[in-house]
Amino acid sequence: MDIEPSLVGSAERFKLDHELELHEFEDKFVIKSLQSPNQGFWISRRDGNINFLDDETCSGSPSRTSTIYGVVGTIRLVVGTYVVVITSCKEVGSFLGYPVYRVMSMRVLACNDALKFSTGQEKKDEAYFMTLLNIVESTPGLYYSYETDITLNLQRRNKLVEGWMSKPLWKQADPRYVWNRHLSEELIECKPITSHLNVVLSFQVAELKLKDSHAMVTLVSRRCNRRLGTRMWRRGANLEGDAANFIETEQLLETEGFRSSFLQVRGSIPLLWEQIVDLSYKPHLSVIKHEQTPLVVERHFSDLSQRYGEIIAIDLTEKHGEEGQLSAAYAAEMKNVPNVRYVPFDFHGHCKDSNFDNLEILYDQISEDAEKQRYFLIDREGNVQEEQRGVIRSNCVDSLDRTNVTQCYLAQKALNLQLQRIGVLSPSECISMFDEEYGKYRALWAEQGDEISLEYTGTHALKGDIVRYGKQTIFGMIKDGMSALSRYYLNNFHDGIRQDALDLISGHYTVNRNSLSPIGQNGFDPFSFLPVTSALIIGGLTATTLTVQQVGRNVHQYVSTAICAGITAGVMAILKANGRQFCSRPRLCGLL
């Protein structure tokens, strides 16, 4: 089946090998194609040097031979070089007819025999960086294809010149959405065996039956790698205007020979702001006053306009408290940004008490402009019938939970218009009239929200039952409570090191053997004392409770109670005053 008629020419489509062979020798790793055994490379386990295969490379018997499903890339640390490979994958669906796979497991091959000759500090630094690579091994939500690039949306693909699809996948891809862009740089010349893991952190497919028609709906969410990070350590934008948690979501519809695409984007409020963890449940949020703030906002929206056209910026944050101060600062800057419509909508204020139908109020405000933006549509003959002329950009504070609910609502409106235009539904019909199929559609968006949230926060999305069922349920409230507690723990005690891992593999931090160690020289590490401090607080509270019960029987218990209570209060005061120091903090890069 021809997927993009305008792109299909005489040139053969570029494809990657599905399976590779890994041979492990005492002094080297050999990776070669099963289909073309002479094609591949080997890497020295002593110095990490990479070489193409020759006749003498595979002489001798390897200690172990295994099948791998792609090479993610390589990274050089203080002493050694490390190769990241895919050890298992699962086919999860197709994108425009081409199979898409999810990475199920990865392995890091260490080429660091020279570590035995290193200094103590070098060994310490290498151990920390290796810990970061171990975190990378378990990265969720990585999807890729051997046969096509999935970083480009349907409208952009349609505009590519003839012969583009015959280029290697790394040349086809949009570099901002390639997760392993930095890791694969050294292996670019080994094109046929290097698998580019496109930053598609959510890929969901559902087949719907609407009256007599079958429709395939695919959700693809692409995370930008320019400000990659975790929830609390990557807020706002950098000085170049790149927003944290910036994601392009494409809703792709295939039915009756037609293909249609609807794009939305999300991202952190593109100001300079921070919310540093300090052991409190809701850390202080502050806007950073900087002379370049207007330029940051301008750069962000200028880039969006060049890529997508007209922009509608929906701000879902609260309009009071610290959130309100952030929203007010955003609104003030948006007054100076031309050709962008800024729409403030207090999601919690309008939708309190589970009145989520009030999103209709938001849609009424933007419907005229939103429907003018249209969607992308190709007919059975491959002719373009519609082009999307703009995009809706949504945000809340995290650009997760409230944003998920809102984007699902807007996507449903677009889907109704597309199905009506194609003729699957009449002008008076909508997808919500088909209960079973509507449930499948909402489940797509709920699962997508979970995958996006797992990458940014480490937990499932909140308000997922609203997306899935259109209302908040008791089970959903319990699940949200557990996820909120998990976010608190991860934000305070784990995300610092996870941020370092993301900065390392994305190239935002480059290891330099001659530079000062980022680990520090035997300095005081308050974070390591947190378990002791916590034990003192718990023990103090327990002792105080027990001694209070004995006060009436023994006057001496007054003194014991006062001492226990005083120690507990003192430790808690120290902990509160130095909360930031007791949290897991990134060591490699600054906030901007």
Side-chain angles (χ1 to χ4, degrees):
M1 179 175 61
D2 291 341
I3 301 305
E4 295 107 353
S6 62
L7 301 180
V8 178
S10 58
E12 184 180 351
R13 179 178 294 276
F14 184 88
K15 294 172 61 175
L16 293 167
D17 287 341
H18 285 230
E19 294 182 354
L20 304 172
E21 231 175 28
L22 170 64
H23 298 269
E24 301 180 34
F25 294 87
E26 184 177 352
D27 61 337
K28 61 180 175 287
F29 291 109
V30 176
I31 296 175
K32 61 181 181 178
S33 168
L34 284 173
Q35 297 178 351
S36 306
N38 294 326
Q39 197 172 69
F41 69 94
W42 66 274
I43 181 168
S44 168
R45 299 180 73 159
R46 183 179 66 83
D47 56 20
N49 286 336
I50 300 171
N51 304 275
F52 288 101
L53 293 181
D54 53 43
D55 294 337
E56 299 180 2
T57 300
C58 297
S59 60
S61 300
S63 58
R64 180 184 176 188
T65 300
S66 57
T67 300
I68 59 175
Y69 300 91
V71 181
V72 180
T74 64
I75 187 167
R76 293 186 181 272
L77 301 182
V78 179
V79 177
T81 296
Y82 299 81
V83 186
V84 185
V85 298
I86 304 169
T87 52
S88 66
C89 62
K90 178 182 179 182
E91 186 174 344
V92 293
S94 64
F95 181 71
L96 298 173
Y98 301 105
V100 173
Y101 298 82
R102 176 172 181 156
V103 176
M104 303 305 293
S105 64
M106 293 187 285
R107 180 187 170 195
V108 177
L109 309 177
C111 304
N112 59 359
D113 287 354
L115 193 60
K116 63 184 75 170
F117 307 111
S118 304
T119 66
Q121 186 61 46
E122 288 175 339
K123 291 179 179 178
K124 182 179 178 181
D125 290 351
E126 192 84 353
Y128 181 71
F129 290 128
M130 289 171 64
T131 300
L132 302 185
L133 291 182
N134 291 334
I135 294 174
V136 171
E137 278 186 331
S138 58
T139 301
L142 295 178
Y143 297 84
Y144 68 103
S145 175
Y146 296 102
E147 300 181 40
T148 191
D149 169 60
I150 55 177
T151 64
L152 299 179
N153 59 63
L154 182 61
Q155 184 162 318
R156 289 192 67 194
R157 290 167 69 93
N158 188 72
K159 295 181 178 181
L160 297 177
V161 297
E162 186 174 350
W164 182 266
M165 305 307 287
S166 65
K167 294 179 180 293
L169 293 188
W170 66 271
K171 284 189 175 181
Q172 297 178 31
D174 185 337
R176 72 180 68 199
Y177 295 130
V178 178
W179 180 80
N180 64 330
R181 181 189 179 192
H182 174 67
L183 296 177
S184 60
E185 287 178 352
E186 197 167 3
L187 289 177
I188 286 297
E189 294 307 316
C190 301
K191 307 179 192 72
I193 63 170
T194 304
S195 297
H196 274 65
L197 293 184
N198 307 141
V199 180
V200 176
L201 57 118
S202 178
F203 185 91
Q204 309 293 336
V205 182
E207 185 172 348
L208 311 180
K209 189 176 188 308
L210 302 170
K211 298 196 293 186
D212 296 327
S213 299
H214 290 271
M216 186 73 71
V217 178
T218 305
L219 279 187
V220 187
S221 290
R222 306 172 176 99
R223 184 190 295 279
C224 180
N225 57 28
R226 293 183 175 180
R227 191 157 168 73
L228 205 59
T230 58
R231 181 185 177 216
M232 291 298 187
W233 294 111
R234 284 298 174 267
R235 295 291 210 188
N238 58 21
L239 293 176
E240 287 72 41
D242 302 313
N245 199 29
F246 185 85
I247 297 167
E248 176 192 89
T249 296
E250 179 178 19
Q251 178 177 274
L252 184 65
L253 170 67
E254 298 174 89
T255 184
E256 300 293 320
F258 288 79
R259 290 192 177 92
S260 187
S261 167
F262 176 67
L263 296 174
Q264 296 184 79
V265 296
R266 71 174 74 191
S268 190
I269 291 179
L271 304 178
L272 305 179
W273 61 282
E274 63 182 13
Q275 193 174 17
I276 307 300
V277 290
D278 58 2
L279 299 183
S280 62
Y281 181 74
K282 194 171 184 179
H284 175 64
L285 187 157
S286 62
V287 179
I288 300 172
K289 294 183 178 180
H290 197 287
E291 61 182 7
Q292 290 196 42
T293 294
L295 284 175
V296 169
V297 178
E298 180 186 346
R299 288 166 183 160
H300 178 77
F301 283 100
S302 175
D303 179 64
L304 285 187
S305 296
Q306 290 177 15
R307 292 173 65 83
Y308 300 104
E310 299 174 358
I311 308 297
I312 301 174
I314 299 176
D315 179 14
L316 301 168
T317 55
E318 296 176 1
K319 306 311 172 192
H320 55 81
E322 290 186 343
E323 227 178 270
Q325 294 173 16
L326 176 62
S327 180
Y330 185 26
E333 292 296 338
M334 291 304 293
K335 292 179 181 178
N336 302 317
V337 179
N339 304 318
V340 176
R341 183 181 174 190
Y342 170 74
V343 182
F345 183 81
D346 187 339
F347 183 96
H348 287 155
H350 285 285
C351 301
K352 62 184 178 181
D353 301 324
S354 299
N355 292 321
F356 301 107
D357 289 339
N358 285 344
L359 282 170
E360 190 71 34
I361 298 172
L362 170 63
Y363 191 72
D364 287 342
Q365 293 182 51
I366 67 169
S367 59
E368 184 177 350
D369 288 339
E371 291 175 14
K372 285 180 181 178
Q373 290 184 353
R374 306 303 291 168
Y375 44 80
F376 186 68
L377 177 66
I378 301 177
D379 66 17
R380 297 179 182 90
E381 288 73 39
N383 301 313
V384 176
Q385 299 296 315
E386 294 277 4
E387 286 196 354
Q388 186 167 343
R389 306 180 186 94
V391 76
I392 299 174
R393 183 199 193 277
S394 303
N395 73 265
C396 46
V397 171
D398 297 328
S399 296
L400 290 176
D401 312 315
R402 287 171 277 182
T403 301
N404 291 337
V405 176
T406 304
Q407 286 200 336
C408 175
Y409 183 87
L410 297 173
Q412 179 186 327
K413 294 287 189 181
L415 182 61
N416 288 333
L417 293 174
Q418 291 166 313
L419 291 170
Q420 291 166 5
R421 170 65 187 276
I422 294 170
V424 174
L425 300 181
S426 70
S428 61
E429 292 177 320
C430 59
I431 188 174
S432 60
M433 302 170 83
F434 304 85
D435 291 342
E436 185 176 348
E437 309 311 304
Y438 187 43
K440 293 179 184 177
Y441 174 73
R442 296 186 74 110
L444 278 184
W445 276 93
E447 291 162 6
Q448 180 243 204
D450 281 340
E451 287 204 311
I452 289 175
S453 181
L454 279 169
E455 171 67 17
Y456 195 46
T457 71
T459 74
H460 289 118
L462 308 184
K463 300 181 175 68
D465 53 335
I466 300 169
V467 176
R468 194 179 296 269
Y469 308 115
K471 61 182 180 179
Q472 197 149 37
T473 63
I474 296 297
F475 175 77
M477 293 173 67
I478 294 172
K479 183 181 176 182
D480 285 355
M482 295 175 65
S483 292
L485 290 175
S486 296
R487 284 185 184 184
Y488 172 82
Y489 171 79
L490 294 171
N491 292 163
N492 283 278
F493 308 125
H494 182 67
D495 279 357
I497 190 170
R498 198 160 70 96
Q499 182 63 54
D500 280 348
L502 292 171
D503 286 331
L504 180 67
I505 60 100
S506 63
H508 293 141
Y509 178 85
T510 304
V511 178
N512 187 341
R513 186 171 184 174
N514 298 320
S515 62
L516 293 176
S517 166
I519 313 304
Q521 301 285 340
N522 301 319
F524 172 70
D525 183 9
F527 182 62
S528 63
F529 287 86
L530 186 62
V532 177
T533 308
S534 301
L536 284 174
I537 292 175
I538 295 172
L541 290 172
T542 303
T544 301
T545 302
L546 294 174
T547 54
V548 165
Q549 294 175 355
Q550 302 294 324
V551 167
R553 303 177 187 177
N554 189 339
V555 176
H556 293 291
Q557 294 297 331
Y558 280 112
V559 178
S560 300
T561 301
I563 292 174
C564 290
I567 292 174
T568 304
V571 173
M572 291 179 68
I574 293 173
L575 201 61
K576 183 177 180 180
N578 299 277
R580 291 191 176 189
Q581 304 305 317
F582 282 99
C583 293
S584 172
R585 301 174 63 87
R587 302 179 179 187
L588 303 184
C589 297
L591 293 177
L592 298 180

